[in-house]
Amino acid sequence: MAIIFSFPGFESIASHIASDLKITRGDMEIRHFPDGETYVRLNSPVEGQQVIIICGLDKPDQKIMGLMFFAQVARKMGAKSIGLVAPYLGYMRQDKRFHDGEAITADIFAGFLSQIVDWLVTIDPHLHRHEKLSEIYTIPAAAIHASDHIADWVKSNIARPVLIGPDAESSQWVSEAAKKAGAPFMVLSKIRRGDRDVAVSLPDVATYHDHTPVLIDDIISTAHTMIETVVHLRALSMRPPTCIGVHGIFAGDAYDRLMSAGAHRIVTSNSIPHKSNDIAIEDILATAVSAMIKNNHSHKG
Amino acid sequence: MAIIFSFPGFESIASHIASDLKITRGDMEIRHFPDGETYVRLNSPVEGQQVIIICGLDKPDQKIMGLMFFAQVARKMGAKSIGLVAPYLGYMRQDKRFHDGEAITADIFAGFLSQIVDWLVTIDPHLHRHEKLSEIYTIPAAAIHASDHIADWVKSNIARPVLIGPDAESSQWVSEAAKKAGAPFMVLSKIRRGDRDVAVSLPDVATYHDHTPVLIDDIISTAHTMIETVVHLRALSMRPPTCIGVHGIFAGDAYDRLMSAGAHRIVTSNSIPHKSNDIAIEDILATAVSAMIKNNHSHKG
C-alpha cells in the first residue's frame, strides 16, 4: 500500500502519479508562521504504508525543514517507508573543495537527505564530478532522464533543428537528445580569458543558416551561459534560437533577460513550476516511483 | 584551545566573547548563490580545537543549512567539538500536537540540532510545556536569563516603573525582573471570547497612574499581544508604556505598528540584531560559553 503527498506546486504531478499507479493521494498542510518558522500537518493516515512525498529541491533551504518535519511525523504515525520524488535535486553543484575550508555541500546535503528519507527519485541531477548518485547518496537513488521527452518536443515543434550545447558540460544532454531527435548537434566550448571574460568558440555555422538553433542545457539558473550563446549565435546571423532547459530555476529576472537577449522561445520541463514549462515528465517519474515501491524499501535508521 | 566564529550579524558579540575568554576569533564566509543555495567556507584552522559558532536562530530555515554545512566542514577539518551559541533559539513554540498529524517541530528541530552540534547556549528560550531544554535536547544545553539585565535597564532608564506582563505565559519574565528591579508588577490575563476576540483583563490600575508602565515579554514577533495591551493601557489613561522584549523578531511591520499603537519606546536585547537593541547580553553569553569549554565536551556522533 502506498500513498503520495505533495508540497505546494507539485499537486498535479502527484495526482498524475497517483492515478497512473493506482495509489492513494494524501492530504497535507504546509505553511509558514509570521516569524518564518514552518508548520507541517499530515491529514491522511499513513500507518503501515509506503509514503511518497513529491518536493522539488530548487530553493532547497526554504523547503528542507518542512521536508524533515514531514518525514519525521510520517514515521511517528507509522509509515513503513518514506520515498522522496524531487524532480529537481538541489545542492549538486558544489561537488568539490575548490578552495581550502569549503563545505562540499553536495556530499553533506546528500548525507542529510539519506538520513531523512528511504529512497529518492529525481530527473537529470547535475552529475559532474560524480558519475552516479550512489557515490554520495546511501539510499536507493534513481536518476531518470528527460532526453526522450526533449527529443520528442523538438521533433514536434521545430522544423529543421540544429541542437547546440552551450558548453562541454552540456554535451551529455545535447548529444542524447540529438540522437533521439535524429537532428544534427554542436557543442560549444568556453574559452576563459579571465574571471569575467569568457568567449565562446563556435564551429563553422554556415552549414546551419537555414536551421533553427535549439540550445539545450540541464539547468537555466542565472542564464549567463545561455544569454552569451544566444548573443553569439545572433551575431553570426543564425535564426533566433529556442532555449531548452531541463530545469528552469530562472534566478531573479533571468527569464526576461534571456528573452531580451534574442531567444525565440524558452522551454523547460515541469520539474520546477514556471510559465516556460512545456515538457511534461509525470510519466517517467511514475515509472521510477513504481519500481521503487515494488522494491518495498524500508527504513534503515 | 577554543576558537569562535560568527554568522552575519553576530560579529561584535563574537569579538566580545573572544576577548572576554581570551580565545581566537575565527574567520568564515557564508553567502547564497543566485539559485538560493548556501555556500560556506572556514578560513581559520580548527584542528584539535573546541569550535564555537554564534548563529541566532530567528528565521531558522534561512540559516540551518549553513549551520549544518559549517559544523560538518569544521568536523572534517579536525575540530574537537562544535558548540552553538544561539542567542535566540527557534522552533520552541510548537511543543505539542494540537491537532492530529501535526509535526511537533520543537522536538524534531531539537533532535536535529543535537545531531549537528555538541553543546548549545541560548538566552531565555520559549519554554512553555517543557520545563527544561534537556527534555528535548540530547546535548548539554544551557538556557541563561536576561532578567538581571532587563532589571538593570529598567532601574537606569525608568523613574517610577510598574512592570506589566501581557499574559500568564509572560509572568516568569516579569516577576523575576520586577523582583530584581525592586518594582511593582502586574500580570494581565487574556479572556478568549472566540478565535479573534480576545479581551485583556486588568487589575485596578488607579494606584499606578503616576507610574510608567513597562511591558515585558520574552518574544515580540507579530506584536499582537503587546499592541492589544498598549491600546488597553492607553484607554485606561495610563502613561505611554515602554515595551521590552528579550527577543525582538518584529515580523513584517510589527515594530511600526507597536509604536503607532502608543508605545513610548521599544527596547530589546541584542539577541536578534535590530534598531531597538539596547540591552547587551554578551557578558552572560561569555560566562555560559566559558563553562561549556571548561567542561570540554566532545562529539558523541
Side-chain angles (χ1 to χ4, degrees):
Chain A
M1 291 240 296
I3 179 167
I4 185 164
F5 292 84
S6 164
F7 264 51
F10 299 95
E11 293 83 358
S12 98
I13 299 185
S15 296
H16 191 111
I17 295 175
S19 122
D20 264 23
L21 306 186
K22 302 189 176 28
I23 61 179
T24 315
R25 182 74 175 79
D27 179 43
M28 71 175 287
E29 206 178 325
I30 178 162
R31 56 185 169 80
H32 298 278
F33 289 108
D35 63 4
E37 298 189 354
T38 301
Y39 170 91
V40 170
R41 183 179 180 190
L42 269 71
N43 295 318
S44 307
V46 297
E47 201 179 335
Q49 301 215 53
Q50 298 193 57
V51 169
I52 302 150
I53 175 75
I54 173 159
C55 171
L57 290 171
D58 59 299
K59 300 194 180 71
D61 295 14
Q62 293 179 17
K63 300 177 191 172
I64 195 71
M65 286 291 100
L67 184 60
M68 177 177 80
F69 296 145
F70 173 88
Q72 295 257 26
V73 72
R75 277 197 215 294
K76 200 94 178 174
M77 291 167 72
K80 188 176 178 304
S81 64
I82 295 151
L84 170 64
V85 180
Y88 175 74
L89 183 59
Y91 282 113
M92 289 297 292
R93 293 167 131 185
Q94 178 105 28
D95 56 357
K96 187 189 150 173
R97 185 167 289 122
F98 300 96
H99 303 281
D100 282 350
E102 283 182 346
I104 306 178
T105 56
D107 295 5
I108 301 173
F109 190 76
F112 176 58
L113 266 192
S114 295
Q115 278 189 359
I116 60 176
V117 298
D118 304 314
W119 54 259
L120 167 69
V121 164
T122 189
I123 300 167
D124 288 321
H126 190 73
L127 289 163
H128 184 203
R129 284 171 195 85
H130 296 295
E131 257 183 56
K132 292 175 183 174
L133 286 176
S134 61
E135 291 169 39
I136 51 175
Y137 280 83
T138 58
I139 50 172
I144 53 178
H145 302 291
S147 53
D148 279 352
H149 289 62
I150 292 174
D152 285 347
W153 190 94
V154 170
K155 278 199 281 189
S156 314
N157 291 277
I158 312 280
R160 302 191 67 185
V162 52
L163 274 51
I164 296 176
D167 60 20
E169 271 186 61
S170 65
S171 85
Q172 50 185 319
W173 329 104
V174 178
S175 60
E176 200 60 24
K179 198 165 64 184
K180 286 168 179 164
F185 77 97
M186 304 186 275
V187 174
L188 311 188
S189 52
K190 273 187 195 170
I191 300 161
R192 196 167 283 273
R193 297 199 191 102
D195 229 24
R196 303 234 151 230
D197 185 14
V198 180
V200 176
S201 89
L202 200 63
D204 192 283
V205 292
T207 337
Y208 299 116
H209 267 138
D210 59 347
H211 284 60
T212 294
V214 181
L215 299 184
I216 300 186
D217 211 344
D218 62 336
I219 303 173
I220 308 180
S221 177
T222 58
H224 279 326
T225 308
M226 280 257 183
I227 288 170
E228 189 173 74
T229 312
V230 167
V231 168
H232 200 73
L233 295 178
R234 299 295 289 135
L236 294 169
S237 308
M238 287 196 78
R239 294 188 178 170
T242 292
C243 297
I244 301 183
V246 180
H247 307 291
I249 291 182
F250 301 114
D253 58 350
Y255 179 87
D256 293 333
R257 284 187 297 104
L258 181 51
M259 285 303 292
S260 308
H264 168 65
R265 187 176 171 185
I266 304 169
V267 174
T268 58
S269 90
N270 56 345
S271 68
I272 300 173
H274 187 263
K275 62 181 173 185
S276 61
N277 294 166
D278 200 41
I279 299 172
I281 39 69
E282 289 88 334
D283 57 343
I284 50 175
L285 286 175
T287 307
V289 168
S290 172
M292 284 291 184
I293 61 180
K294 265 174 201 141
N295 281 326
N296 206 8
H297 301 289
S298 60
H299 186 50
K300 288 175 198 74
Chain B
M1 291 242 295
I3 180 168
I4 185 165
F5 292 85
S6 163
F7 264 52
F10 299 94
E11 293 84 357
S12 98
I13 299 184
S15 296
H16 191 112
I17 295 175
S19 123
D20 264 22
L21 305 186
K22 303 191 176 23
I23 60 179
T24 314
R25 182 74 176 78
D27 179 43
M28 69 175 287
E29 205 179 326
I30 178 163
R31 56 186 169 82
H32 298 278
F33 288 108
D35 63 3
E37 298 188 353
T38 301
Y39 169 90
V40 169
R41 183 178 180 191
L42 268 70
N43 295 319
S44 307
V46 297
E47 201 179 334
Q49 302 216 53
Q50 298 194 57
V51 169
I52 302 150
I53 175 76
I54 173 159
C55 171
L57 290 171
D58 60 299
K59 300 194 180 70
D61 295 14
Q62 293 180 18
K63 302 177 189 172
I64 196 71
M65 286 291 100
L67 184 60
M68 178 177 80
F69 296 145
F70 172 88
Q72 296 257 26
V73 74
R75 275 195 216 295
K76 201 95 179 174
M77 291 166 72
K80 188 178 177 304
S81 64
I82 294 152
L84 170 65
V85 179
Y88 176 73
L89 182 59
Y91 282 113
M92 289 296 293
R93 292 167 130 184
Q94 178 106 28
D95 55 356
K96 186 190 151 173
R97 186 167 287 121
F98 300 97
H99 302 282
D100 282 352
E102 283 182 347
I104 305 179
T105 56
D107 296 5
I108 301 172
F109 190 75
F112 175 58
L113 267 192
S114 296
Q115 277 189 359
I116 61 177
V117 298
D118 304 315
W119 53 259
L120 167 69
V121 163
T122 189
I123 300 166
D124 288 322
H126 191 73
L127 289 163
H128 183 203
R129 285 169 195 87
H130 296 296
E131 258 182 55
K132 292 176 183 172
L133 286 176
S134 60
E135 292 169 37
I136 52 175
Y137 280 82
T138 58
I139 49 172
I144 52 179
H145 302 292
S147 51
D148 279 350
H149 289 61
I150 292 175
D152 285 345
W153 189 94
V154 171
K155 278 200 281 187
S156 316
N157 291 276
I158 312 280
R160 303 190 69 183
V162 52
L163 273 52
I164 297 176
D167 59 20
E169 271 185 61
S170 66
S171 84
Q172 51 184 319
W173 328 105
V174 178
S175 60
E176 200 59 22
K179 199 165 63 182
K180 286 168 179 165
F185 77 97
M186 304 186 274
V187 173
L188 312 187
S189 52
K190 274 186 195 170
I191 301 160
R192 195 166 283 273
R193 298 196 189 105
D195 230 23
R196 301 238 152 226
D197 184 13
V198 180
V200 175
S201 89
L202 200 64
D204 191 282
V205 291
T207 336
Y208 298 115
H209 267 137
D210 59 347
H211 284 60
T212 294
V214 181
L215 300 184
I216 301 185
D217 210 345
D218 62 336
I219 303 172
I220 308 181
S221 177
T222 59
H224 280 327
T225 308
M226 281 261 182
I227 288 171
E228 192 173 70
T229 313
V230 167
V231 169
H232 200 73
L233 295 178
R234 298 295 289 138
L236 294 169
S237 309
M238 287 194 79
R239 294 187 178 171
T242 292
C243 298
I244 301 182
V246 180
H247 307 291
I249 292 181
F250 301 113
D253 58 351
Y255 179 87
D256 293 334
R257 285 187 296 101
L258 180 51
M259 284 305 289
S260 308
H264 168 65
R265 186 177 170 183
I266 304 169
V267 173
T268 57
S269 90
N270 57 344
S271 67
I272 301 173
H274 187 264
K275 62 180 172 186
S276 61
N277 294 167
D278 200 41
I279 300 171
I281 40 67
E282 289 88 337
D283 57 342
I284 50 174
L285 286 175
T287 307
V289 168
S290 173
M292 285 291 185
I293 60 180
K294 267 177 200 138
N295 282 326
N296 207 6
H297 301 290
S298 61
H299 186 50
K300 291 177 195 70

